[in-house]
Structures are given as structure tokens and as C-alpha cells.
Amino acid sequence: MTDSRFVDKISGRAVPLRGNDIDTDRIIPARFLKSVSFEGLETHAFEDDRKQLEERGQVHPFSNPSYAGARILVVNGNFGCGSSREHAPQALQRWGIRAVVGESFSEIFFGNSVALGMPCLTVAAADAEALLAAAEGDPQAEVRVSVSAQTVAVNGKTYQASVPAGAREAFTAGTWDATGLLLDDFEQVKKVAASLPYVSGF
Amino acid sequence: MGQTLLQKVWDRHAVRTLPTGQTQLFIGLHLIHEVTSPQAFDMIRMRGDRVAFPDRTFATVDHIVPTLNQRRPFLDVLAEEMMCALEKNCREFGIPLYDIDNPGQGIVHVIGPELGLTQPGMTIACGDSHTSTHGAFGAIAFGIGTSQVRDVLASQCLAMEPLKVRRITVNGSLRPGVFAKDVILDIIRRLGVKGGTGYAYEYGGDAFDRMTMEERMTVCNMSIEGAARVGYVNPDETTFKYVEGRAFAPKGADFAKARSWWKSLASDSNATYDDVVLMDAGAIEPTVTWGINPGQSVGITEKLPSPGDVGASDKASVAEALEFMSFRGGMPIAGTKIDVAFIGSCTNGRISDLREAARLAKGRRVASNVKALVVPGSQSVRKLAEQEGLDKIFMEAGFEWRGAGCSMCLAMNPDQLQGRQICASSSNRNFKGRQGSPTGRTLLMSPAMVAAAAIAGEVVDVRKMLDREEVHA
Ligand code: SF4
């Protein structure tokens, strides 16, 4: 196994995406879920939003060549709400995103991202604004994220971020792919199952 | 000190504390469907794992099924491919499948309760955010992503962070023409679409005590729209009566034992909560969403907000929603012309929902410019409705009567909005593009309100169409 299991320091350019309550139907519309694999999802990330802006002569950050190759996504509040589809973080990760920074995340989106090794860091609303402005002002600016230190830094400024202890440990210890961990003590799993009246009989 | 149902059920299912500090939680019932499971099975195969508890796993097909012509192979090759993948995976791993030829088939959150798979005190997971529906039985039920579907397949467990509990007490009587759907839309409107982050919602109070199981399911179903991953009602006699006699329910002497176990799991009267909210059922109006998230709603007699009416943090979203919907702040929601009416989904596709809608439709006609669909939540619901003659009432009124599935709730089948159409919908999400057209518009409301809108051709107060005596009773 390579060290890609250990997720901590991530740096790269950032793509700014403004708006509260951006739901997973917008990140990846349902029609692209009609597949038995996750392959190719990245080409459809934000497809409808991108088209609608284009029709009005505007450019969605995910269509803007200045942000091609960005590794960090900066958002506002309640990002990833709605449908539990893992296709949403899959599409972002396959597009190149390695970490998401924002004011808040939906729990299911957050958990799905943990399972993919893509940390979501929470920052204060004003700091999310500052980070959005930094990426808008200079698409080349290098953003540095540290999961263990819970910080996001850009243009010589460091912002306090937070990642819940459980997820932080999972990233830095390389156990974010939970299956192995959950199978470690299968005897205990069987014991709990047997103790439940609806499993073993009332 | 007393405990909540959440704490009791959680403790009974906790396997151990993981090195991450999370709880390894045993999952008593795993429900799967065609959209979020194929990649999980591939991951299992790649790892060389088996399905740990195939007899605690049940599959059905719902999201992609066509509702007009359900013959196999499906005309949509991608849908057919997903169906075949599910069949193959279930065969290979020994998982029971309620497929399209099975009378038990339907939307996963409709058939779990119908078959008696859903029971109080269980932990239930499904790769679908509306799994919160099953909380109506006093189960702890939540939606998960595909990697977590893999985790549950392989280990029957999940790594979970603990949840806080917010008690939402609704006292008083719902006024005629006001339904469970209006209760949950009102809760989300008040507490906000992110208000439930980190919480399980415990619903109680005499309004909930009087609700049927189907009404409780409607409320629990949309907990996730208020960001509460889990929503539940403590099990009571209504719950036990509903479960008794169903295919997978405990039988005979076992049922009596199960009943007392279930009873013991209800929150203690002196339980402590992380937060408490009190609401008055009598103050709730028929409610309709006007925007692009389920919290953007108004009572039918109210007017839409303007960006100027709301706090700084909501200005941008109100402006964005008004623009997307082509609505203006200050306009009433009543009178909004509609193009499509959809009655169905895991929120409101059960028999009581169809009965309410049929009561409105009986002897009336759908407006000539409206396309109206009724999609039962399951094949059993469809059959029961036909036995009661509801199909005829709908068809005579000009509604289309369809096969069971998710249909226009997320439009992964041919039932989709076109262009800028506006749909009065009994489903649960009004997100941009949700009903199949990227620019299509959705107004969420109760099934009775959808039926009323279909007939009037525009959003109307259902109370004006109900019998006078009922309204003034
Ligand atoms: S009816 Fe809608 S919300 Fe319910 S499971 Fe189907 S797609 Fe999801």
C-alpha cells in the first residue's frame, strides 16, 4: 500500500464556488446516475448549472480554464445537502478535487467524502468569504490545507479550520476506508447480532 | 436519569469504539436498490469479501423503473443494465430481491414497512437519504453513500459519529385540509434546511400520538430535508397494530414478547434532550414551497418573501430562488399556474395519500392544460387502490394511472418535466433540475393540494374544495 492512504497536507490551486445549500442534484444531476460505475462522472460535475450560466454569457468556475487543475474546492454553507448519492463527491474527486473548505457541509456528503479520502474542512463564514475572494482574485494562488493542524493557508495568511476528531484520526491514520476497520473484530459483531432479539429470536 | 430511544437503540447496537473515536454500529436491516449498490458490490468483489449477513439485506428496484411499460427488457438500455446488475449481484451474494415481477416490489421506503421488515428498535441503513422514513416505527434509520453500502455489505456495520437529539413536540389538532406533509414542511421552514445538522429529530406530542403510521412516515421521511439524518417517533399501540400480521413481523407468542421489548425502547418520560422545540398543530396551514429548497415555503394564504424581508445570510438564496422560479417577492402563491401534477413518491405515495387525492378528484376534471400522474409507491398500494376503485376515480377525472416506482420524484425514468414546466408535486425535493428538466420548476405540497391544483390548473387552497361541513367542523 502506498502512502496515499495517509491524508493530511494538501496543497494546490483553489476553485471558488459561491452559494449556500448547493445540493447533490446540482453537483451531479440524477440522469448521470444511470450507470453501474462511477467512471466519467467528472465531465458532468455541475453540468446544468454550467450550461445555465453559459446561456447567460457567464462562466461557472468549473468551466473556467483558469481553475482547471485546481485541487481545493472552496464553498459557502450547507454544501452537499439533499440526496445521499456518493456520485457527488466521486464526481468532484475525479475532477481533481482533493479537499473541500467551506462554512458547513451536509452530514451525508461529509461522510461520503471521508470514505473517499477527501477531507471537508469547516471554517468561519467570514473566512470562507476571504478564501473565496482569494481564489477569485488570483486563480494561481497556492492554498495549503492541513488536516492534522486544522488550518487553511493562502497568501501568507492562515485560517483556523476544523475537522471532527473521528474523521481527523481516520485521515491521518489512513483508516478512512472503514471496511477493514469494521471487519477487525468480526467475532464481536456476531456477538452483538446474537444479543438482538430480532436477530436471534424474541 | 432517563434515556431517549436513540440512546437505547444505539447502545444495544454498539459493537465497539473505533480507534477514530467513532462507534462501530451494527445495522439490523440493510435495504438496497439499483442506483447506489452496483459500485458497492464491485468494491466487495475487488476486496474478495463476502456479504456478511445476506439474510439481513433486502433489495428492490424503484428509482429507474418505467411506470408505463414495465415489460423486460426495459426500453431504456441503461435502466435495463442497472436492473441486470442488481439481479446478478443479488443472485451471486444470496440476497432476496423484490424485482419488477414480484408483487412486493415498490419504493424501498414503502415496501420495508409494508412487508414488516421495518420494526421498532432496529438500526436501518440504505443508500438513500430518505431512509429516515423508517424512523416512524421507532427505528434508528439513516441514509448512507455507496462506500458505506460496501461497509454494511461486508461487515453489517457502520462507523458512526454520535448524534444529539432534538425533541419536536407538536400539540393540538390539525385543521381540516392540513396534513402530515404540511407539518413537516412547516417544521423545515421554521428550523431551516440546515437546522438539523448533527441531530436526530424525535417527533412527539398529541398531534403525533393521533397520527397514523402512514402520516408519521411522511413526517420522518422529510427529516433529512431539514438536515436531520434521523427522525423518529416513539413506538406505541398504533405502531404495534400496524406491524402485527405483516409478512416479516414476529408471529404468535413472539409478537407479544417483541411488543414488550419495543415498548421498553421508547424514550423515558424523564429523558433529557439536547434541544426542545414546541409547536402548535392548529397554527399550521396548507403549505407550498415556492423556491429551490424544501425550506422555502409559505402557507397557502401567504405571500412570497423578497430578499429585503429576510436576514443577510438568506438574501442571496431568496434572490436566486425567485429568479430561477421567475417569481416575484410579494406575490401570493395561490393562483400560480401549473403544467404538471405528480402524486407519488416515498413521501406521499401510500394508500392514504391516494385516498385523500381521490376524494378531491371524484366527480371533477383535471384542467385541460395540466398533465396529471398518479404513481403508487408500491405494487401492493396499486393493487389495494384498484380494489377500492381509486384508479377509476383518477382516470375518470383525467389523471394517468401508472405502475409503482419513484417516477417523477427524481425523473430517472421517462417521467420528466419539459423545459420550464411547473409541477405541483407530492414528493420531497424542489431542487433545481430535480424533476428531469434542468430548468423545470417544482412546488411541493400535500397530495390533496396537488389534486386540487391539477383540477384548478393553478395552486389553490384545498380547503375551498373540501365539503363545507368538513372545513367548519
Ligand atoms: S421516491 Fe424519490 S426520494 Fe423516495 S426513494 Fe424514490 S427517488 Fe428517493
Side-chain angles (χ1 to χ4, degrees), chain A residues 23 25-26 33-34 52 56 82-84 86 107 112 115 166 169 177 179 181-184 195 197-198 202, chain B residues 12-13 16 20 24 28 76 82 128-129 145-147 150-151 154 197-198 320 323 412 429 431 434 438:
Chain A
D23 58 76
D25 273 85
R26 283 170 69 182
L33 273 49
K34 229 191 258 170
Q52 277 161 33
R56 298 186 340 209
S83 158
S84 61
E86 188 172 305
E107 275 167 70
N112 285 342
E169 168 74 19
D177 177 348
T179 314
L181 207 56
L182 295 172
L183 281 170
D184 269 354
S195 77
Y198 67 85
F202 282 95
Chain B
R12 289 296 300 251
H13 292 79
R16 60 178 184 139
T20 56
Q24 175 167 357
D76 176 344
M82 295 180 88
D128 190 285
S129 56
T146 296
S147 293
R150 169 204 62 196
D151 291 346
T197 308
E320 183 189 1
E323 193 202 340
M412 276 186 79
R429 285 192 173 137
F431 297 150
R434 173 73 177 183

Side-chain angles (χ1 to χ4, degrees), chain B residues 33 62-63 107-109 128-130 221 225 342 344-347 405-411 427-429 434:
Chain B
H33 62 82
D62 50 9
H63 286 65
I107 304 174
V108 64
H109 311 309
D128 190 285
S129 56
H130 293 99
N221 172 276
E225 306 309 334
F342 172 65
S345 88
C346 59
T347 313
C406 295
S407 177
M408 209 180 255
C409 174
L410 95 165
S427 56
N428 45 49
R429 285 192 173 137
R434 173 73 177 183

Side-chain angles (χ1 to χ4, degrees), chain A residues 19-21 23-26 29-38 48-49 52 55-56 77-78 81-87 90 103-108 110-112 114-116 164-167 169-170 175-186 188-190 192-193 195-199 201-202, chain B residues 12-16 18-20 24 26 28 35 38-39 42-43 47 49 52-53 56 76 78 81-82 85 121-123 127-129 143-148 150-151 154-155 157-159 161 163 193-194 196-198 224 227 229 250 254 257-258 261-262 293 313 320 323-324 410 412 429 431-432 434 438-439:
Chain A
N20 286 317
D21 310 319
D23 58 76
T24 54
D25 273 85
R26 283 170 69 182
R31 59 185 184 280
F32 303 115
L33 273 49
K34 229 191 258 170
S35 165
V36 294
S37 85
F38 289 129
D48 293 344
D49 281 5
Q52 277 161 33
E55 279 160 14
R56 298 186 340 209
N78 200 26
C81 58
S83 158
S84 61
R85 60 188 68 162
E86 188 172 305
H87 304 68
Q90 284 275 1
E103 187 189 336
S104 64
F105 300 91
S106 104
E107 275 167 70
I108 299 183
F110 182 93
N112 285 342
V114 172
L116 300 183
E169 168 74 19
T175 56
W176 44 270
D177 177 348
T179 314
L181 207 56
L182 295 172
L183 281 170
D184 269 354
D185 193 353
F186 196 63
Q188 188 59 27
V189 175
K190 287 199 275 193
V192 169
S195 77
L196 291 165
Y198 67 85
V199 175
F202 282 95
Chain B
R12 289 296 300 251
H13 292 79
V15 174
R16 60 178 184 139
L18 295 168
T20 56
Q24 175 167 357
F26 181 80
V35 178
Q39 300 89 345
D42 285 345
M43 297 180 206
R47 291 177 46 98
D49 285 331
F53 287 81
R56 304 228 59 85
D76 176 344
L78 292 175
E81 188 189 353
M82 295 180 88
M122 283 182 167
T123 45
D128 190 285
S129 56
I144 55 178
T146 296
S147 293
Q148 290 177 309
R150 169 204 62 196
D151 291 346
S155 68
C157 292
L158 282 170
E161 301 278 349
L163 289 166
V193 285
K194 28 184 172 175
T197 308
I224 186 64
R229 208 171 172 184
D254 276 355
K257 282 191 229 155
W261 187 61
W262 294 339
N293 73 52
S313 60
E320 183 189 1
E323 193 202 340
F324 181 82
L410 95 165
M412 276 186 79
R429 285 192 173 137
F431 297 150
K432 288 181 180 179
R434 173 73 177 183
T439 53

Side-chain angles (χ1 to χ4, degrees), chain B residues 16-230:
Chain B
R16 60 178 184 139
T17 303
L18 295 168
T20 56
Q22 295 162 304
T23 305
Q24 175 167 357
L25 201 66
F26 181 80
I27 301 302
L29 175 65
H30 186 201
L31 301 168
I32 60 174
H33 62 82
E34 75 282 14
V35 178
T36 54
S37 71
Q39 300 89 345
F41 281 109
D42 285 345
M43 297 180 206
I44 292 277
R45 264 187 216 101
M46 257 167 52
R47 291 177 46 98
D49 285 331
R50 299 180 327 143
V51 172
F53 287 81
D55 54 338
R56 304 228 59 85
T57 313
F58 293 84
T60 191
V61 52
D62 50 9
H63 286 65
I64 51 121
V65 298
T67 57
L68 260 185
N69 174 0
Q70 297 194 321
R71 259 202 308 272
R72 301 283 304 277
F74 295 148
L75 294 174
D76 176 344
V77 289
L78 292 175
E80 178 62 22
E81 188 189 353
M82 295 180 88
M83 186 68 239
C84 290
L86 185 66
E87 288 169 327
K88 174 173 168 275
N89 290 328
C90 288
R91 226 180 295 125
E92 181 178 336
F93 292 99
I95 295 167
L97 166 64
Y98 291 87
D99 67 12
I100 199 84
D101 313 316
N102 190 307
Q105 177 265 341
I107 304 174
V108 64
H109 311 309
V110 176
I111 70 163
E114 251 172 25
L115 293 167
L117 289 167
T118 302
Q119 293 170 20
M122 283 182 167
T123 45
I124 302 178
C126 173
D128 190 285
S129 56
H130 293 99
T131 308
S132 56
T133 311
H134 307 262
F137 291 80
I140 299 306
F142 39 81
I144 55 178
T146 296
S147 293
Q148 290 177 309
V149 173
R150 169 204 62 196
D151 291 346
V152 183
L153 288 173
S155 68
Q156 201 65 24
C157 292
L158 282 170
M160 293 284 294
E161 301 278 349
L163 289 166
K164 292 180 284 185
V165 184
R166 171 177 291 144
R167 163 83 180 189
I168 300 176
T169 301
V170 185
N171 286 327
S173 297
L174 293 176
R175 289 182 293 169
V178 179
F179 300 92
K181 180 66 157 285
D182 301 304
V183 174
I184 186 61
L185 284 174
D186 197 62
I187 290 173
I188 298 166
R189 178 186 180 190
R190 281 173 209 295
L191 302 181
V193 285
K194 28 184 172 175
T197 308
Y199 282 100
Y201 281 175
E202 176 181 303
Y203 304 104
D206 56 50
F208 279 94
D209 293 344
R210 277 191 303 272
M211 279 190 197
T212 64
M213 287 314 293
E214 298 200 349
E215 291 173 312
R216 293 177 187 179
M217 283 187 247
T218 297
V219 173
C220 289
N221 172 276
M222 287 188 70
S223 303
I224 186 64
E225 306 309 334
R229 208 171 172 184
V230 164

